[in-house]
Amino acid sequence: MKRKHLSLILILFAWTNIYAQEIEQNDSLNYKLQEVVVKAKQTATKLVGSSLVSNIAGSNLRNAGNALDVLQQLPLLTIDDNVVSVTGKGVPVIYIDERPLRDNTELRQLQSTNIRNVELILAPGAQYGSTTKVVLKISTRKKFVHGLSISNESETRIRRKWSMNDMLDFSYHSAKLELFGTGYYDHDNSLIKGSTINRLTYEAIPTEIGTTFSSKYAENNAMGKIGFNFSEGNQSFGAYYRFMYSHTNPLNIGTEWMNSESLLSRKISSEGNMRNHLISIYYDNMFVGNKHFHFDGNYRGSNDDKFNETSYKSYQRQNVNSVQNQTSTLWAGKAYLDFSFVGGNITVGTQDSYTHTKLDYRMLNQTVETYIPSSLTDAKQTSLAAFTSWSRQFGKFSLSAGLRYEYVDYLFTVDGEKDTDVSRTNHFFTPDISLSYSFNETFMVNLSYKMATVKPPYSQLTSGTTYAGEHEIEGGNPMLRDEKMQNLQLFGQWKDFMLQVDYIRSLDTYAFVKQIYPASTLQMLLHPVNVNVSELSTCLIWGHPVKFWRPEVTLGMSKPWMKLGSNSYNKPIYSYNFQNSISLPKDFYVSANMRGQSRGDMHTNHFTGSWFIMDMSVRKTFLKKTLSIKLTATDIFNTRNNDWSMYTYGILMNKYQSYDRRGITLSVQYQFHPQKSKYKGKVASEAEMNRF
């Protein structure tokens, strides 16, 4: 079966290349990339410095639907359940018209007809923060209609369970003022089935511990957002308030066993409530002489309550109950000034934040509390940063360089006592440099280097542990050190081909391990630890728009080098992605995407292969494009593999799981006077927002 899939891909790739060459001379479409007109015989995505810029307004992707539909057809980008990721770099920081994305509903709101271009910054400068690996910028078309604009989109999805959501968006424009708001409700239901088997030697006896599970995850989310923008001349300012509420009620029914013991039936039920407040303000001014000043301020407060209960059918087992409450606050500010300097452009600024997180964890089972104690942890962090970046064009060369200084004071207490091993004060200097050379309009290369300090997410710094079974515990690690990362990247483009080569050396990044936990009975602890990893990744991309058809082929490889104790994790992962978007008469738009990857290592995890996964969508517009209907099928052949294994500290864990990725989604959207937002505010602290 795998050989048939591989043969099909090679045939389609060869036929695509031949067909593109045959009709190249007859294709007279023009694409506009900022101020440069590029004929269609060239690729629609172009390397500009260290960025990949894709023109949307002049391509068939303008009919794709919303921004998510556009992004999933672009090089290096993948969309999985509305989450955007970049090959080899993870989740990007996303901006829409220089305004940071705060939730994915904004990508659904933005229609492809309103997108001008998409810029993927592969070597972000100092102004984006040392932890930012990749930046995605979406620029929209400058088109406003005074008056009221309303848009409503409803989506229904059937997989193993039914899910639905509805989003209502409105805005009102006058000559100087814009009022806008969004309401969103989502009911999500998912089902995961599988089993976990752990093999180890405990007290000189070969031991096997296993579980089976059927996990139903029900979640209800609601979001409300309202704000304004005011602009006059070269000045503008605005603000918005957003409230989000989430209620989760997962249920896990399964069994546990150890060696030859009979199966022990168990039920894990949970209930969680999360409330999140966000206030954002900005001020923007363009002075005489091309001097540009921008300020952003943000406040975020959240409260998260969770109750967990593990119950057993056996009367000999007591229920294991726990409760936890987490409160977090963030105050952040960012200001910078752009101006001309030494024949180029320079940016100087500061980015500062204060965060406070408290976690109150209570274990209600006295027996379990002997090895999973209740605790009250408190973390406070003050972060002050100054940055500068400079760029200039030298004929066919372009150079950009930046330097960022960060001061971080981190205070961590447990039950009111300062933990001196975890609390620390650090000073970071993180430089970056990028050099590009254009041989001609179709051949250009870029070489970049960046040093970064990456702080672990707050969820991984907790000292608390949670009960996962009679012999299993899960937790964080407050001893995690900050990661020191160095990234050397080469990117080149020649006609319809692009090549990316990345070498990353990470000291003290974190990976999950399983090891014996000191207790009176056998307990295994799953938690993160610091590791050193080197990784070489490369991908070759080919794409050529052919009238109504836009194919894109990506072949990739990721080779890691990592050791943990006497174990090596060095097996490479090979991957491919074949994207197709087709604009048809009568306002039909079709996308058909295929992807796959081999088995291989990612840190301590060894993933199995998924050689052929296919998604497809059909979209049709009506009533002068104010009404659109889209039908999407995901994982059509149910071939996605989610199994993985991990071997650390003498414990071999094999996890077999079946997600409900296969399904059909129906989306209906109606727009009345569609508008785009003019909000120019940016997030004051991207890194701290992401760590929450």
Side-chain angles (χ1 to χ4, degrees), residues 41-251:
K41 67 180 181 180
Q42 297 176 359
T43 178
T45 299
K46 187 173 182 180
L47 180 64
V48 180
S50 62
S51 302
L52 284 180
V53 183
S54 301
N55 182 56
I56 307 303
S59 73
N60 68 334
L61 290 181
R62 70 186 183 277
N63 301 316
N66 58 35
L68 289 169
D69 298 316
V70 171
L71 296 178
Q72 72 175 353
Q73 302 302 130
L74 296 181
L76 299 178
L77 295 176
T78 57
I79 311 295
D80 194 355
D81 282 344
N82 293 338
V83 177
V84 183
S85 61
V86 180
T87 302
K89 295 182 180 291
V91 178
V93 176
I94 303 177
Y95 293 83
I96 300 177
D97 287 337
E98 299 297 331
R99 174 187 58 82
L101 185 76
R102 289 273 51 90
D103 56 77
N104 281 353
T105 59
E106 296 183 44
L107 294 176
R108 287 182 54 188
Q109 289 173 295
L110 179 58
Q111 297 302 296
S112 56
T113 53
N114 291 329
I115 299 177
R116 182 165 61 91
N117 62 46
V118 176
E119 180 182 3
L120 184 63
I121 304 176
L122 300 168
Q127 65 268 35
Y128 294 107
S130 60
T131 60
T132 304
K133 295 182 180 180
V134 61
V135 173
L136 180 66
K137 285 187 173 183
I138 301 174
S139 298
T140 63
R141 301 168 66 186
K142 308 300 181 183
K143 182 180 180 181
F144 298 97
V145 178
H146 290 177
L148 181 66
S149 170
I150 299 176
S151 174
N152 188 83
E153 181 178 7
S154 297
E155 187 175 271
T156 302
R157 184 180 69 201
I158 176 64
R159 292 181 178 175
R160 288 172 174 164
K161 298 288 184 179
W162 283 92
S163 300
M164 60 81 63
N165 60 71
D166 189 85
M167 180 172 59
L168 177 65
D169 180 54
F170 79 89
S171 63
Y172 177 82
H173 290 260
S174 65
K176 299 179 180 179
L177 180 67
E178 176 197 11
L179 302 175
F180 60 88
T182 301
Y184 178 75
Y185 173 76
D186 173 69
H187 172 71
D188 189 64
N189 236 335
S190 61
L191 176 63
I192 305 174
K193 297 181 179 181
S195 63
T196 303
I197 299 176
N198 303 276
R199 294 183 175 91
L200 67 154
T201 299
Y202 180 68
E203 295 182 345
I205 300 174
T207 303
E208 180 178 284
I209 298 173
T211 60
T212 64
F213 59 90
S214 177
S215 180
K216 300 177 183 178
Y217 193 87
E219 182 175 9
N220 291 286
N221 297 290
M223 184 270 287
K225 178 180 177 180
I226 189 168
F228 76 93
N229 298 291
F230 180 83
S231 61
E232 185 173 20
N234 293 326
Q235 298 186 74
S236 62
F237 64 91
Y240 73 80
Y241 167 74
R242 187 196 70 187
F243 174 75
M244 297 180 68
Y245 173 77
S246 175
H247 175 78
T248 57
N249 190 22
L251 177 64

Side-chain angles (χ1 to χ4, degrees), residues 505 511 529-534 560-570 603-604 649:
R505 175 61 175 167
V529 298
N530 287 116
V531 294
N532 298 332
V533 181
S534 295
W561 289 272
M562 193 189 98
K563 290 198 69 175
L564 182 64
S566 59
N567 299 323
S568 297
Y569 306 86
N570 302 332
H603 290 184
T604 52
Y649 297 107

Side-chain angles (χ1 to χ4, degrees), residues 50 121-130 132 135 387-389 400-404 430 432-433 450:
S50 62
I121 304 176
L122 300 168
Q127 65 268 35
Y128 294 107
S130 60
T132 304
V135 173
F387 60 86
T388 181
S389 60
S400 64
L403 180 65
R404 185 180 182 90
T430 52
D432 64 86
I433 187 168
K450 181 175 182 177

